[in-house]
Amino acid sequence: STSPDTANLKKIGKVDGIYCKRGPSQAPIEDDLAKVQAVDQVKLRAAEKGATYISEPQCVISSSIDFSNNCMGTLTCTSSAFSSAD
């Protein structure tokens, strides 16, 4: 979940999530569904690192071809991951 006050939390690090548009049948990278899928990946990766909170995800659209991930376009979201300080 997101937290408005991170002062009492321990920062774990940055986590990324990506939505990869591989073909015309997939949702456009500007679509809300693309953002939901990218943010879900952020949450999953944060949880895998032991995080209990993430900062508000910042998302960037790239319409250039990403050959390393075989994507026609990508939406990448990044957050800071935090855990309880205790």
Side-chain angles (χ1 to χ4, degrees):
S1 64
T2 57
S3 172
D5 179 20
T6 57
N8 296 323
L9 300 173
K10 181 179 139 191
K11 187 172 182 178
I12 295 173
K14 293 222 179 269
V15 286
D16 295 323
I18 187 171
Y19 172 79
C20 173
K21 181 169 174 60
R22 290 200 167 94
S25 63
Q26 288 186 290
I29 51 178
E30 302 83 9
D31 194 84
D32 286 344
L33 176 62
K35 184 172 182 179
V36 166
Q37 289 184 7
V39 171
D40 281 350
Q41 279 191 22
V42 169
K43 292 176 181 177
L44 178 63
R45 291 184 175 149
E48 288 171 345
K49 292 183 173 193
T52 50
Y53 302 97
I54 60 168
S55 63
E56 186 66 34
Q58 302 299 309
C59 301
V60 178
I61 291 174
S62 173
S63 56
S64 60
I65 296 175
D66 177 352
F67 290 105
S68 63
N69 290 307
N70 195 26
C71 304
M72 295 170 62
T74 57
L75 174 70
T76 304
C77 296
T78 304
S79 292
S80 292
F82 299 89
S83 65
S84 299
D86 51 26

